[in-house]
Amino acid sequence: MDGESGGHSAAAACHNEGVPIPSTIPDGAAPRFVLVATHAEGDSGVFDVHELRGEDPRTAQPSQKESLREGQEPAEESPAGVVLILDEALRPLTGPLSFSYEDIGDLVTWAEARALRWVWESTRYWYGMFLTDGMTVERCWDLGLCRTILSSSPATAGGGYAADARDAPAGDLDAAAPAGPEPGAQGSLFAAPAPRGASAQTVGREFAAQRAAVPRTTAGRKLELLLAAESAGALIAAEIRATGMPWSTRVHRALLEDQLGPRPPEGHRPQKLERVVEELRAALGAPKLNPDSPQELLRALHRAGIDAASTSQWELADHEHPALEVLERYKKLSRLFTSNGWAWLAMWVRDGKFWPDYTVGGVVTGRWSARGGGALQIPATVRSAVRADPGCKLVVADASQLEPRILAAMSRDEALAIASTGKDLYQAIANRGFGGDRASAKIVMLGAMYGQTSGDAGRLMPQLAKTYPQAVGLIEHAAREGEAGRNVSTFLGRGSPGPDDAFAAARRAANSLDATPADQSRADSIARSRGRFTRNFVVQGTAAEWALCWLGQVRLGIRRQLPDLSSRIVFFLHDEVMLHVPADQADEVVRIVHAAAARATELVFRSDLVETPVTVAVVDSYDQAK
DNA sequence: CTTCGTTGCGCG
DNA sequence: AAAGCGCGCAACGAAG
């Protein structure tokens, strides 16, 4: 794809583009990777880009330093790091080349013109720095994220990488790093997520070890796709973090005042919430009740003759009492106030943006997690505050009924694949074996993927298994493996974590000579619990892989077809993506989002028998989507 | 006083 | 006693 870049020589490119070029790159060499580290081994052999440009570094103009965000300023005059240019065989085409903050732009321009892949320990760190200067890159290899995947993947070559990584004690890797392994040794050399202290040599050895861990097999092909997708996800997470999600403080405040009343003084309830509390106290005959204490509340419920075992919504739905409607209203409003009220607004919204902080691969299944502000739990009640700028639109897309479709594709279940081609997967299932009853079809399908055995889901399972033997067989097998204490893997090769200590302890107890029936049933319970986890892991994890590929294809489509980069991904939530786009680009973005979904399915499954449609809405605010 | 586990509920 | 999966966050309340 980018092998064409070998066509122009480094020297020629230097003159054509007027950017610093490592003049040591021989003519005809084909650079493929830019390896980024904080320093070289020792100080010898480090060149400065200014020297290569024939400039004196002391007089070189700091071109973009001014635009760096405050607080991110590096120590004065200190270089940001070093790069090493490598070819496909990982041969260095340059010595370690030090760059400083003001050089980043030139460096990025040079590398991007050749479609090089950036190799670094942490995308969050390095790319975050690039982005503060407004520089973007197309592709990378995030060693930290890839290490996590490779360490647990059963698909690595000979399992060598996984074994080495397991041997390294988690806390000591940083300290152990300076000693380093024998040259050529494979394995994980350092694990600190921050790239501080990693030399170009160390980073290079790690990269070589990771590439060597990917076998030249079908499993290796899939693993490579996963590593690329995870790395692309890291780029996107960094870009979202730098862009922010448009958030209208005005709309949010209006919504809060409408539902809660004026903003209360610190430590007080808003008026309207206080009024509901009074109502609740009256309805329960408990004048001093603190409704925020589940214990107090439960006692008050009992005194009022409500025989509930807990105060959860689920439980209270089964009971009849005039106070319960009031309680539900209180819980809703209280939730809004405590989790997404004025305090939240002050904490997380700045400059008209909400700033999500994603952790790529933060969930064991490969889903992203997010810290701060509950970016993955934005309640429906405040979504109207997510608004496009004037002249812009939000494009909100979600992959409908994703998990059963993923199950159909990964299990190659022909009957379920056929069901995926209609408008509504659950209706199609309902029409084959469930008398057209969509609700039942949905319950049994979800129940199968989650391991539900009770109620309708359990009762209808045999029918589902008969109709879709491949699909049900796959998840049943995953469950059996988990129950036996073994690991499972997603379609692309992300391994599940092993059973925890409780699993092993319970099994030991159940197998001991003086085991009681209680020991046995406890061990069975824990084993079934792990079975439900591994059962769900394969589907949720593979769906996350598909979503990552989808997201990556959306990003690529935008970069290639709308290269002014004014259309941006601003939010991602498991199977849903939101873009903020100029209104006149909305139609094109919608096309890109659809095409990206189809492409993701081909990439992951090498088949288009299963359909993975996405529903797309072009709206002014988030609440208008679906 | 801080830390930590639990409850409850938001999201997929 | 068993329990449909994966998360993060606010608040409570017990423990240190």
Side-chain angles (χ1 to χ4, degrees), chain A residues 412-467:
Chain A
R412 310 267 188 230
D413 188 303
E414 285 178 35
L416 200 53
I418 290 168
S420 81
T421 58
K423 280 201 185 84
D424 180 348
L425 176 71
Y426 294 126
Q427 189 60 56
I429 294 172
N431 294 344
R432 259 194 74 175
F434 298 93
D437 180 358
R438 186 181 185 280
S440 292
K442 184 173 176 176
I443 284 172
V444 68
M445 191 72 234
L446 291 173
M449 292 187 296
Y450 291 160
Q452 185 172 5
T453 54
S454 63
D456 287 350
R459 193 168 49 75
L460 298 172
M461 263 296 282
Q463 178 62 38
L464 192 77
K466 202 173 83 187
T467 316

Side-chain angles (χ1 to χ4, degrees), chain A residues 562-574:
Chain A
L562 301 166
D564 69 341
L565 300 186
S566 56
S567 285
R568 295 178 178 203
I569 297 171
V570 294
F571 186 64
F572 174 57
L573 178 57
H574 309 324

